[in-house]
Amino acid sequence: MNSTVKHIKPHWSELPPTWRYVIGTAMQAGELVLKLGCVGAIATSTWVMVDQETNESWGARFRKVSAVAEAAVGFYDDDFKSLISKGDVIAGYTVNSGFGLRMHPIHQEMRMHSGIDLPTPEGVSIHAIGYAGDRVSVRCWSDPKGYGTVADMTSSAFPEITFRAAHLSHCKGGEHRAGVVVAKTGNTGGSTGAHLHWEQLQGGVAQAPQKGYLVWALNGRKPNERLGDTIALYQAIVAKESGGDPTAVNPDTGALGLGQVMPQNLNCSWDGKPKSNCGWDYDVLGRDVSPQEFLQNPEIQQQIVGVKLESALQRQIQAGHDMNTAVKRVAAEWYSGNPELAHDTRPQAGYESIKSYADSAAEKFHRLRQQNLEK
């Protein structure tokens, strides 16, 4: 007799303490790191990567990963359209002023605050909000004593809504593809420090901003989109690189850990001199990580490798490539540093060709992705 089992997303309180700890700390680094932190929490204690046709336990493990990831994302952003409140963490930054009446920080009098304020460093990217193929209109304007440099964004996906970003350091007007960077945060106009003032207007009237749209603008994609693709890509690349061994060190190149990351990528030491506040570690975690710490900490490896793979996949999708081509190009970039070499058949100094690597990684990706969809 056939039966259908409904998988219910676990409640936050039902998650094991170790997973709650990893998820909670990962929230500080943003939504994507949060999701991959869930993978890391499970992988740390139950990891088995099989380079053959993955064994029967893989399906159960993936279901655990997916369930916990969904639970954690729900904890982080339970409702795409939930309203943003003071204290909310959005893409790793904490809202310090909400929508509504407040004491104005400069004029020291009660005024209506028509948006929310999100303190950020200068130069944080703001993406055009929309689905693949959508066109987004951006109007740039200036209010020197108030909003400073402003971007008003309207998407073909939500023509009734205008998103406003103010106090910017950069704005690029015109028509854009969804997902591209159209502005960067700054400290222009009447501002007490670098931050993003974010508004959501309907019919020209400011509404309380909804969390999902701001996450979308800062991450360049709709929250929760392509989570399964990200996990499958991560697993495929790690299978190719290390077979799931976080202690692996390549004797020829010195590449480290699960994703075989070059030490120079961690600290920008391509000239032989390590640098501070630079490299993949700083990009993802906001701090410097030595090669020794990286090798000794699988959770850090999972976060850095996962975020970098996700970013690479997003770039290829936004460039207009189909998923199969995008995955091959990401694999080629991971293997050689150049996505354009995905069809290069030349042997690589005792290792397989770039094309062989990319094709194999893509085959693993599609197999894992299909298995995951069938669970």
Side-chain angles (χ1 to χ4, degrees):
M1 182 176 69
N2 293 329
S3 63
T4 300
V5 178
K6 182 179 181 180
H7 296 284
I8 300 174
K9 182 168 66 177
H11 188 271
W12 172 256
S13 62
E14 298 172 25
L15 302 180
T18 301
W19 297 358
R20 291 204 301 270
Y21 171 78
V22 173
I23 292 165
T25 55
M27 282 183 65
Q28 300 174 17
E31 183 201 14
L32 178 59
V33 174
L34 164 65
K35 293 173 183 176
L36 291 163
C38 303
V39 180
I42 298 171
T44 300
S45 58
T46 64
W47 181 277
V48 172
M49 173 55 68
V50 181
D51 197 27
Q52 307 297 323
E53 296 293 320
T54 53
N55 71 7
E56 294 179 358
S57 66
W58 165 246
R61 285 199 172 91
F62 183 84
R63 286 196 297 276
K64 289 181 183 178
V65 172
S66 298
V68 174
E70 288 303 317
V73 171
F75 175 69
Y76 173 75
D77 185 16
D78 217 29
D79 179 359
F80 175 83
K81 295 189 176 181
S82 62
L83 303 183
I84 300 173
S85 300
K86 182 178 178 179
D88 283 347
V89 178
I90 308 289
Y93 306 105
T94 303
V95 176
N96 70 349
S97 185
F99 178 84
L101 285 173
R102 66 163 186 176
M103 179 65 70
H104 195 283
I106 295 177
H107 300 289
Q108 293 300 303
E109 61 183 21
M110 294 299 293
R111 292 188 179 184
M112 179 64 185
H113 191 219
S114 56
I116 63 95
D117 288 340
L118 188 70
T120 71
E122 290 195 35
V124 172
S125 296
I126 299 170
H127 302 259
I129 298 176
Y131 299 97
D134 286 341
R135 302 300 296 177
V136 181
S137 175
V138 178
R139 181 175 73 92
C140 301
W141 54 282
S142 180
D143 177 20
K145 295 183 179 180
Y147 281 170
T149 300
V150 184
D152 283 349
M153 186 190 323
T154 305
S155 173
S156 59
F158 333 100
E160 74 284 0
I161 303 176
T162 296
F163 302 102
R164 175 168 293 168
H167 303 296
L168 303 172
S169 62
H170 172 77
C171 179
K172 184 177 181 180
E175 295 289 322
H176 302 277
R177 288 182 294 104
V180 303
V181 175
V182 295
K184 294 191 175 183
T185 59
N187 188 28
T188 58
S191 172
T192 59
H195 74 286
L196 170 64
H197 173 85
W198 178 261
E199 295 183 14
Q200 187 173 321
L201 302 98
Q202 194 156 356
V205 179
Q207 310 288 327
Q210 296 166 310
K211 186 182 297 184
Y213 292 116
L214 180 52
V215 172
W216 199 337
L218 290 171
N219 286 347
R221 61 185 179 83
K222 182 179 178 181
N224 303 343
E225 189 176 49
R226 287 198 290 270
L227 175 58
D229 293 339
T230 299
I231 293 175
L233 177 61
Y234 172 88
Q235 299 288 357
I237 292 296
V238 167
K240 289 289 298 179
E241 291 289 348
S242 69
D245 181 4
T247 67
V249 178
N250 187 303
D252 298 322
T253 66
L256 305 172
L258 294 168
Q260 290 292 276
V261 174
M262 295 297 292
Q264 294 90 334
N265 281 327
L266 292 176
N267 50 29
C268 301
S269 59
W270 295 101
D271 60 356
K273 300 177 181 178
K275 299 174 179 59
S276 299
N277 300 340
C278 180
W280 289 9
D281 49 356
Y282 191 77
D283 288 347
V284 175
L285 303 176
R287 68 179 183 88
D288 295 320
V289 174
S290 69
Q292 293 75 23
E293 181 184 1
F294 179 83
L295 194 61
Q296 293 168 6
N297 193 322
E299 292 174 12
I300 286 178
Q301 294 181 37
Q302 291 147 8
Q303 290 179 5
I304 291 176
V305 172
V307 170
K308 285 300 179 179
L309 285 171
E310 167 71 5
S311 298
L313 182 62
Q314 290 295 324
R315 287 196 302 272
Q316 298 304 325
I317 294 295
Q318 290 169 10
H321 298 293
D322 62 76
M323 183 59 72
N324 185 58
T325 302
V327 169
K328 289 183 179 182
R329 288 174 63 86
V330 170
E333 182 177 4
W334 196 264
Y335 188 54
S336 72
N338 187 351
E340 302 298 331
L341 298 178
H343 298 290
D344 192 325
T345 59
R346 293 172 294 180
Q348 297 295 303
Y351 294 88
E352 64 184 314
S353 71
I354 301 171
K355 182 180 187 303
S356 174
Y357 179 96
D359 288 348
S360 175
E363 186 277 329
K364 290 179 184 294
F365 166 83
H366 289 296
R367 174 164 47 82
L368 288 167
R369 185 170 180 254
Q370 185 59 41
Q371 288 178 354
N372 300 337
L373 291 173
E374 293 171 354
K375 299 302 179 182

